[in-house]
Amino acid sequence: MSDRRGPIVTLDGPAGSGKSTTAKAVAERLGFRHLDSGGLYRALTLALLEAGTPVEEWNALTEEDMRALDVRVSSSGTSFDILVGGRRVSEELRGPEVTEYVPFLASLAPSRASLLHLQRMAGEDGRLVADGRDMGTVVYPSAEVKVYLVADLQQRARRRLKEVGHEDPTDEEIEAAAAALAARDRQDSEREHSPLRKPEDAHLIDTTRLGFEEQVAAIEALARAVERD
Ligand code: CDP
């Protein structure tokens, strides 16, 4: 298991497939840390929006410019806090404006390069569950356990609405949420740098009909099996 003190578990997949909540629960069970890499791209997006940098200028930014936005992580118990200029951010990362612009920011090579070292450092000692789009392909290619989570689009849309407190959406609301997720999946899959794709050596788990408990237990078992090796 390389020279790390424990395994790295990666969870990649499309928007709304349940990666972050699953990764968090798996990490808690294993006593590992959880890294939400999407939160890092959201933090860069938030910093640019707050700085008032017009979106049309984002693709002229260099890796240095991205680093100057000062997005960092600080380990806190079983997770990592995300800091922008030393300020801890969480709720504000999920706002609609950040969600709208994050796929564009994440398609730019300098943004990805600026976050790579930070993510690798977070996994230096292993004992990490990391979720995102390129965890198993680019950031931690030697991870011991790789999972690719998928779920039916309508189901993902329902789950997304439930997350924001919408328990009983109409068909139109489900269709609108599904269209937004599909658009984001397209942007993430068709981009040139680190596109969303299943790592060849990943376990494919379809959560459409799996209960939360079952999917967490399945991934926990995969991690425990490599820990015993
Ligand atoms: O939670 P949700 O699936 O809605 O999104 P997220 O994980 O917070 O990621 C937000 C966006 O960040 C994604 O749509 C990607 O554009 C980008 N991202 C990425 O490019 N690479 C990652 N490893 C994680 C997120």
Short mmCIF file of all heavy atoms in Angstrom, two decimals, residues 129-160:
data_model
loop_
_atom_site.label_atom_id
_atom_site.label_comp_id
_atom_site.label_asym_id
_atom_site.label_seq_id
_atom_site.Cartn_x
_atom_site.Cartn_y
_atom_site.Cartn_z
N VAL A 129 -10.95 9.65 2.40
CA VAL A 129 -12.01 9.38 1.43
C VAL A 129 -12.23 10.70 0.69
O VAL A 129 -12.59 11.71 1.31
CB VAL A 129 -13.33 8.93 2.11
CG1 VAL A 129 -14.37 8.59 1.04
CG2 VAL A 129 -13.11 7.74 3.03
N ALA A 130 -11.95 10.71 -0.62
CA ALA A 130 -12.03 11.96 -1.39
C ALA A 130 -13.09 11.81 -2.47
O ALA A 130 -13.11 10.80 -3.18
CB ALA A 130 -10.68 12.25 -2.02
N ASP A 131 -13.96 12.81 -2.61
CA ASP A 131 -14.97 12.72 -3.66
C ASP A 131 -14.87 13.89 -4.63
O ASP A 131 -14.44 14.98 -4.27
CB ASP A 131 -16.38 12.61 -3.05
CG ASP A 131 -16.91 13.92 -2.52
OD1 ASP A 131 -16.63 14.26 -1.37
OD2 ASP A 131 -17.62 14.61 -3.29
N GLY A 132 -15.23 13.61 -5.90
CA GLY A 132 -15.17 14.66 -6.92
C GLY A 132 -15.40 14.11 -8.30
O GLY A 132 -16.28 13.26 -8.51
N ARG A 133 -14.61 14.62 -9.27
CA ARG A 133 -14.76 14.20 -10.67
C ARG A 133 -13.51 13.50 -11.18
O ARG A 133 -13.58 12.71 -12.12
CB ARG A 133 -15.03 15.43 -11.57
CG ARG A 133 -16.26 16.26 -11.19
CD ARG A 133 -17.52 15.47 -11.40
NE ARG A 133 -18.74 16.26 -11.23
CZ ARG A 133 -19.21 16.68 -10.06
NH1 ARG A 133 -18.57 16.42 -8.94
NH2 ARG A 133 -20.35 17.36 -10.01
N ASP A 134 -12.37 13.84 -10.60
CA ASP A 134 -11.09 13.32 -11.12
C ASP A 134 -10.22 12.76 -10.00
O ASP A 134 -9.00 12.76 -10.11
CB ASP A 134 -10.32 14.44 -11.84
CG ASP A 134 -9.97 15.60 -10.92
OD1 ASP A 134 -10.57 15.72 -9.82
OD2 ASP A 134 -9.09 16.39 -11.27
N MET A 135 -10.85 12.30 -8.92
CA MET A 135 -10.08 11.80 -7.78
C MET A 135 -9.29 10.54 -8.16
O MET A 135 -8.10 10.43 -7.88
CB MET A 135 -11.00 11.50 -6.59
CG MET A 135 -11.77 12.70 -6.06
SD MET A 135 -10.70 13.93 -5.32
CE MET A 135 -10.44 15.03 -6.68
N GLY A 136 -9.98 9.60 -8.82
CA GLY A 136 -9.34 8.33 -9.16
C GLY A 136 -8.50 8.40 -10.43
O GLY A 136 -7.60 7.60 -10.63
N THR A 137 -8.80 9.37 -11.30
CA THR A 137 -8.09 9.44 -12.58
C THR A 137 -6.83 10.30 -12.50
O THR A 137 -5.79 9.94 -13.03
CB THR A 137 -9.00 10.03 -13.68
OG1 THR A 137 -9.60 11.23 -13.19
CG2 THR A 137 -10.08 9.05 -14.10
N VAL A 138 -6.92 11.47 -11.85
CA VAL A 138 -5.83 12.45 -11.91
C VAL A 138 -5.18 12.73 -10.56
O VAL A 138 -3.96 12.74 -10.43
CB VAL A 138 -6.36 13.79 -12.52
CG1 VAL A 138 -5.30 14.88 -12.47
CG2 VAL A 138 -6.85 13.58 -13.93
N VAL A 139 -6.00 12.95 -9.54
CA VAL A 139 -5.44 13.43 -8.27
C VAL A 139 -4.79 12.30 -7.47
O VAL A 139 -3.67 12.44 -6.98
CB VAL A 139 -6.50 14.18 -7.44
CG1 VAL A 139 -5.92 14.67 -6.11
CG2 VAL A 139 -7.05 15.38 -8.23
N TYR A 140 -5.50 11.16 -7.37
CA TYR A 140 -4.94 10.02 -6.62
C TYR A 140 -4.97 8.76 -7.50
O TYR A 140 -5.69 7.80 -7.20
CB TYR A 140 -5.76 9.76 -5.35
CG TYR A 140 -5.98 10.98 -4.48
CD1 TYR A 140 -7.24 11.55 -4.36
CD2 TYR A 140 -4.92 11.55 -3.77
CE1 TYR A 140 -7.45 12.67 -3.55
CE2 TYR A 140 -5.12 12.68 -2.97
CZ TYR A 140 -6.39 13.22 -2.87
OH TYR A 140 -6.59 14.33 -2.08
N PRO A 141 -4.19 8.75 -8.59
CA PRO A 141 -4.27 7.59 -9.50
C PRO A 141 -3.86 6.28 -8.84
O PRO A 141 -4.26 5.21 -9.28
CB PRO A 141 -3.32 7.96 -10.65
CG PRO A 141 -2.50 9.09 -10.15
CD PRO A 141 -3.25 9.77 -9.08
N SER A 142 -3.09 6.35 -7.74
CA SER A 142 -2.67 5.10 -7.09
C SER A 142 -3.55 4.75 -5.89
O SER A 142 -3.17 3.92 -5.06
CB SER A 142 -1.21 5.21 -6.63
OG SER A 142 -1.10 6.19 -5.61
N ALA A 143 -4.73 5.37 -5.79
CA ALA A 143 -5.64 5.06 -4.67
C ALA A 143 -5.95 3.57 -4.63
O ALA A 143 -6.11 2.93 -5.67
CB ALA A 143 -6.94 5.86 -4.82
N GLU A 144 -6.05 3.04 -3.43
CA GLU A 144 -6.28 1.60 -3.26
C GLU A 144 -7.71 1.19 -3.60
O GLU A 144 -7.96 0.08 -4.06
CB GLU A 144 -5.98 1.18 -1.81
CG GLU A 144 -4.50 1.17 -1.46
CD GLU A 144 -3.91 2.55 -1.21
OE1 GLU A 144 -4.66 3.55 -1.22
OE2 GLU A 144 -2.68 2.63 -1.00
N VAL A 145 -8.67 2.08 -3.32
CA VAL A 145 -10.08 1.77 -3.63
C VAL A 145 -10.66 2.92 -4.44
O VAL A 145 -10.62 4.07 -4.01
CB VAL A 145 -10.91 1.62 -2.33
CG1 VAL A 145 -12.37 1.33 -2.67
CG2 VAL A 145 -10.35 0.53 -1.44
N LYS A 146 -11.16 2.57 -5.63
CA LYS A 146 -11.79 3.60 -6.47
C LYS A 146 -13.23 3.20 -6.73
O LYS A 146 -13.50 2.04 -7.09
CB LYS A 146 -11.05 3.73 -7.80
CG LYS A 146 -9.61 4.17 -7.65
CD LYS A 146 -8.95 4.36 -9.00
CE LYS A 146 -7.48 4.66 -8.82
NZ LYS A 146 -6.79 4.81 -10.10
N VAL A 147 -14.11 4.16 -6.56
CA VAL A 147 -15.54 3.90 -6.78
C VAL A 147 -16.06 4.94 -7.76
O VAL A 147 -15.67 6.12 -7.70
CB VAL A 147 -16.31 3.98 -5.44
CG1 VAL A 147 -17.81 3.89 -5.67
CG2 VAL A 147 -15.85 2.89 -4.48
N TYR A 148 -16.92 4.50 -8.67
CA TYR A 148 -17.60 5.44 -9.56
C TYR A 148 -19.09 5.28 -9.31
O TYR A 148 -19.65 4.21 -9.51
CB TYR A 148 -17.24 5.11 -11.02
CG TYR A 148 -17.64 6.20 -11.98
CD1 TYR A 148 -16.91 7.39 -12.04
CD2 TYR A 148 -18.73 6.06 -12.82
CE1 TYR A 148 -17.26 8.40 -12.91
CE2 TYR A 148 -19.09 7.07 -13.70
CZ TYR A 148 -18.35 8.24 -13.73
OH TYR A 148 -18.70 9.25 -14.60
N LEU A 149 -19.69 6.34 -8.78
CA LEU A 149 -21.10 6.29 -8.38
C LEU A 149 -21.97 6.87 -9.49
O LEU A 149 -21.71 7.98 -9.97
CB LEU A 149 -21.34 7.17 -7.15
CG LEU A 149 -21.02 6.65 -5.75
CD1 LEU A 149 -21.53 7.66 -4.72
CD2 LEU A 149 -21.61 5.28 -5.48
N VAL A 150 -22.97 6.12 -9.88
CA VAL A 150 -23.93 6.66 -10.86
C VAL A 150 -25.34 6.47 -10.31
O VAL A 150 -25.56 5.69 -9.38
CB VAL A 150 -23.83 5.95 -12.25
CG1 VAL A 150 -22.51 6.27 -12.92
CG2 VAL A 150 -24.02 4.45 -12.12
N ALA A 151 -26.28 7.20 -10.88
CA ALA A 151 -27.70 7.02 -10.55
C ALA A 151 -28.49 7.63 -11.68
O ALA A 151 -28.02 8.56 -12.36
CB ALA A 151 -28.05 7.69 -9.23
N ASP A 152 -29.66 7.09 -11.89
CA ASP A 152 -30.59 7.58 -12.89
C ASP A 152 -30.81 9.10 -12.72
O ASP A 152 -30.90 9.59 -11.59
CB ASP A 152 -31.86 6.76 -12.57
CG ASP A 152 -33.03 7.18 -13.33
OD1 ASP A 152 -33.74 8.12 -12.89
OD2 ASP A 152 -33.24 6.56 -14.36
N LEU A 153 -30.90 9.82 -13.84
CA LEU A 153 -31.00 11.29 -13.80
C LEU A 153 -32.20 11.80 -13.00
O LEU A 153 -32.08 12.72 -12.19
CB LEU A 153 -31.03 11.83 -15.24
CG LEU A 153 -31.10 13.34 -15.41
CD1 LEU A 153 -29.89 14.05 -14.82
CD2 LEU A 153 -31.23 13.71 -16.88
N GLN A 154 -33.36 11.17 -13.22
CA GLN A 154 -34.58 11.61 -12.50
C GLN A 154 -34.40 11.43 -10.98
O GLN A 154 -34.82 12.27 -10.19
CB GLN A 154 -35.79 10.76 -12.92
CG GLN A 154 -36.12 10.82 -14.38
CD GLN A 154 -36.70 12.16 -14.74
OE1 GLN A 154 -37.49 12.71 -14.00
NE2 GLN A 154 -36.28 12.70 -15.87
N GLN A 155 -33.77 10.33 -10.63
CA GLN A 155 -33.55 10.03 -9.22
C GLN A 155 -32.59 11.06 -8.61
O GLN A 155 -32.79 11.55 -7.51
CB GLN A 155 -32.99 8.60 -9.10
CG GLN A 155 -32.63 8.18 -7.71
CD GLN A 155 -33.88 7.92 -6.88
OE1 GLN A 155 -34.89 8.58 -7.01
NE2 GLN A 155 -33.79 6.95 -5.99
N ARG A 156 -31.55 11.40 -9.36
CA ARG A 156 -30.60 12.40 -8.87
C ARG A 156 -31.29 13.75 -8.69
O ARG A 156 -31.03 14.47 -7.73
CB ARG A 156 -29.41 12.52 -9.84
CG ARG A 156 -28.51 11.29 -9.80
CD ARG A 156 -27.22 11.55 -10.54
NE ARG A 156 -27.32 11.34 -11.97
CZ ARG A 156 -26.86 12.19 -12.89
NH1 ARG A 156 -26.28 13.31 -12.54
NH2 ARG A 156 -26.97 11.91 -14.17
N ALA A 157 -32.17 14.08 -9.64
CA ALA A 157 -32.90 15.35 -9.54
C ALA A 157 -33.78 15.37 -8.29
O ALA A 157 -33.81 16.35 -7.55
CB ALA A 157 -33.75 15.56 -10.80
N ARG A 158 -34.46 14.25 -8.03
CA ARG A 158 -35.32 14.17 -6.83
C ARG A 158 -34.49 14.35 -5.56
O ARG A 158 -34.87 15.07 -4.66
CB ARG A 158 -36.01 12.81 -6.77
CG ARG A 158 -37.33 12.84 -7.43
CD ARG A 158 -38.20 11.66 -7.02
NE ARG A 158 -39.10 11.45 -8.14
CZ ARG A 158 -38.84 10.65 -9.15
NH1 ARG A 158 -37.75 9.94 -9.18
NH2 ARG A 158 -39.67 10.57 -10.15
N ARG A 159 -33.33 13.69 -5.54
CA ARG A 159 -32.48 13.79 -4.35
C ARG A 159 -31.97 15.21 -4.14
O ARG A 159 -31.90 15.71 -3.03
CB ARG A 159 -31.26 12.87 -4.49
CG ARG A 159 -31.62 11.41 -4.32
CD ARG A 159 -30.36 10.58 -4.39
NE ARG A 159 -30.66 9.17 -4.51
CZ ARG A 159 -29.84 8.28 -5.05
NH1 ARG A 159 -28.67 8.65 -5.51
NH2 ARG A 159 -30.19 7.02 -5.09
N ARG A 160 -31.60 15.87 -5.26
CA ARG A 160 -31.12 17.25 -5.16
C ARG A 160 -32.20 18.16 -4.56
O ARG A 160 -31.95 18.99 -3.69
CB ARG A 160 -30.79 17.78 -6.56
CG ARG A 160 -29.33 17.96 -6.89
CD ARG A 160 -28.60 18.78 -5.90
NE ARG A 160 -27.48 18.07 -5.32
CZ ARG A 160 -26.24 18.11 -5.78
NH1 ARG A 160 -25.94 18.83 -6.81
NH2 ARG A 160 -25.30 17.44 -5.15
#
